[in-house]
Amino acid sequence: MSDDYAPPTDPLDVIHHDHEILIVNKPSGLLSVPGKGPHLADCLIARVQEVFPTALLIHRLDRDTSGVMVFALTPHAQRHIGLQFEKRQTKKTYVARVAGRLDPKTGTVDLPLIVDWPNRPKQMVCHETGKQAVTDWRVVKSSDDESRVRLMPKTGRSHQLRVHVLALGHPILGDPFYATGPARDHPRLMLHSEELRLRHPDGGEGVRFRAKAPF
């Protein structure tokens, strides 16, 4: 990644902002936070803070994943929503295009994950030392070539969705780490954070934010 990082130059896509939180639609190809070295300094948090100087990080999306991200605009909001993520009280829905016909139409993957050290940042299933990772899935439509699915992670492990659908035998199209052959030959990773539900830090009311998948 360090040699070919060329993030998109799309203007900041703000879905919502108020006195406590900021919701942004992250483009694919942009780091959430800076990488190591000045060539990896351009990232979403840096771009957000140019417009909203008090913005604070709560969670991340992979560089190649697009979609809904929430930032705090106050330390209170950061603590409040951070705790919701930690306690798995937020609800996240992703859209993905995966290789082949995924069958059955709904199901759950419950496979523990750990970093694949010789090949990091790749992750792998490990029943001995892996951390619990659970993902629900539902097929939206499918053909022999590919399926469009909604993925609802119950945990937030690194690369969880990518490894879990790979374990089902259906890698996400365009995945530079886990897809091979024709499945890899796509212009981007076909994974998008479509919806995020959480409790607003001012009063605790449930709120929902969505961004339509660009694929």
Side-chain angles (χ1 to χ4, degrees):
M1 184 183 76
S2 58
D3 295 329
D4 61 356
Y5 182 50
T9 56
D10 313 43
L12 198 63
D13 184 358
V14 175
I15 298 170
H16 168 89
H17 77 93
D18 57 41
H19 61 293
E20 292 273 20
I21 60 174
L22 168 71
I23 314 295
V24 175
N25 184 13
K26 185 184 95 65
S28 175
L30 179 65
L31 291 166
S32 292
V33 297
K36 292 181 179 177
H39 59 300
L40 299 177
D42 188 8
C43 60
L44 186 56
I45 183 68
R47 294 184 184 186
V48 162
Q49 287 174 340
E50 286 181 2
V51 184
F52 300 90
T54 65
L56 299 165
L57 188 74
I58 299 173
H59 67 128
R60 306 179 188 191
L61 290 178
D62 291 343
R63 178 194 67 172
D64 297 322
T65 304
S66 57
V68 179
M69 273 188 73
V70 57
F71 293 88
L73 296 180
T74 67
H76 163 72
Q78 187 185 41
R79 288 190 301 271
H80 193 283
I81 300 174
L83 202 57
Q84 292 180 55
F85 273 93
E86 188 180 318
K87 293 183 175 181
R88 302 177 186 173
Q89 294 170 341
T90 58
K91 303 279 190 241
K92 294 168 280 187
T93 303
Y94 291 75
V95 174
R97 289 170 54 194
V98 304
R101 186 185 294 275
L102 179 55
D103 198 46
K105 297 294 186 186
T106 63
T108 299
V109 184
D110 186 350
L111 292 171
L113 301 177
I114 193 171
V115 66
D116 182 0
W117 276 105
N119 301 301
R120 57 187 184 276
K122 290 180 72 174
Q123 309 289 312
M124 63 181 184
V125 175
C126 181
H127 292 280
E128 285 73 41
T129 56
K131 293 182 178 179
Q132 183 190 32
V134 181
T135 305
D136 292 337
W137 89 80
R138 178 165 53 85
V139 176
V140 178
K141 61 180 179 179
S142 60
S143 66
D144 289 340
D145 295 326
E146 68 172 78
S147 300
R148 187 179 187 88
V149 298
R150 282 201 164 87
L151 301 168
M152 288 75 71
K154 303 302 182 188
T155 52
R157 307 299 176 202
S158 180
H159 289 194
Q160 174 175 320
L161 302 179
R162 300 160 79 159
V163 178
H164 274 178
V165 293
L166 178 68
L168 293 173
H170 301 272
I172 296 175
L173 298 177
D175 193 329
F177 288 126
Y178 304 102
T180 57
R184 186 173 176 171
D185 188 22
H186 287 263
R188 58 158 289 180
L189 174 72
M190 297 297 173
L191 178 63
H192 177 80
S193 173
E194 179 186 55
E195 182 178 286
L196 176 63
R197 297 186 184 201
L198 51 86
R199 287 181 294 106
H200 197 283
D202 184 0
E205 181 183 356
V207 288
R208 180 180 73 163
F209 303 102
R210 291 174 61 89
K212 188 176 179 181
F215 52 78

